[in-house]
Amino acid sequence: MSASLPLLDSNALCALAKRSAAVTASCDCTQAVTAGWVSTPLSFPEHLLQDIGTLLADPYDEPSFKEYHPAGTRYESPEAPIAPQHFPYNRCQVAVCTHCGRHYLRYTEAGGYFVDRRLRALYRADLVVDA
């Protein structure tokens, strides 16, 4: 994460999601199903993504691992709310595809023996909540 990325709030995420939803151009970035969180496929063209913002409020503070699922959704569900103050969103960067203009959320999951880049498309403003 770059310290120069602006901190985005739920209003900014809603605006970006609406922009993404309006994109109709075909693009290689849509080849993977990323409506819910997925491990970034090896075939995903990450070189097309440019980070434009962050949801990590303080890079020196350990963000919470508490998730937000009031309707019983799960982490990987396409219907799961996008709650910037909750895991995993509180560790995310927001990126834009430089080819088509779609937006994505991404973060790195780091376990004891692995590192996994995770990705979720940002195109549904109705899922963004300020919780």
Side-chain angles (χ1 to χ4, degrees):
M1 179 188 70
S2 170
S4 63
L5 291 174
L7 180 64
L8 303 177
D9 61 12
S10 57
N11 290 331
L13 287 179
C14 279
L16 294 174
K18 288 176 183 177
R19 275 195 226 158
S20 285
V23 175
T24 58
S26 64
C27 184
D28 288 342
C29 76
T30 63
Q31 298 301 317
V33 177
T34 59
W37 284 109
V38 297
S39 295
T40 305
L42 293 175
S43 61
F44 187 84
E46 282 195 88
H47 66 280
L48 293 178
L49 297 184
Q50 177 183 359
D51 290 332
I52 60 166
T54 184
L55 303 181
L56 180 59
D58 183 350
Y60 301 106
D61 188 25
E62 181 68 28
S64 168
F65 282 100
K66 184 178 178 185
E67 295 184 34
Y68 183 75
H69 298 284
T73 55
R74 295 177 44 92
Y75 164 91
E76 69 281 354
S77 170
E79 300 298 321
I82 298 170
Q85 296 178 26
H86 294 272
F87 180 82
Y89 307 97
N90 58 3
R91 299 165 185 270
C92 284
Q93 295 174 11
V94 179
V96 64
C97 176
T98 57
H99 183 259
C100 70
R102 288 179 176 89
H103 293 85
Y104 292 87
L105 299 163
R106 60 185 181 165
Y107 79 102
T108 302
E109 180 76 35
Y113 298 100
F114 70 94
V115 173
D116 188 12
R117 302 260 309 150
R118 304 280 173 94
L119 183 71
R120 183 176 184 185
L122 179 63
Y123 66 97
R124 289 192 51 195
D126 64 310
L127 294 178
V128 179
V129 296
D130 189 15

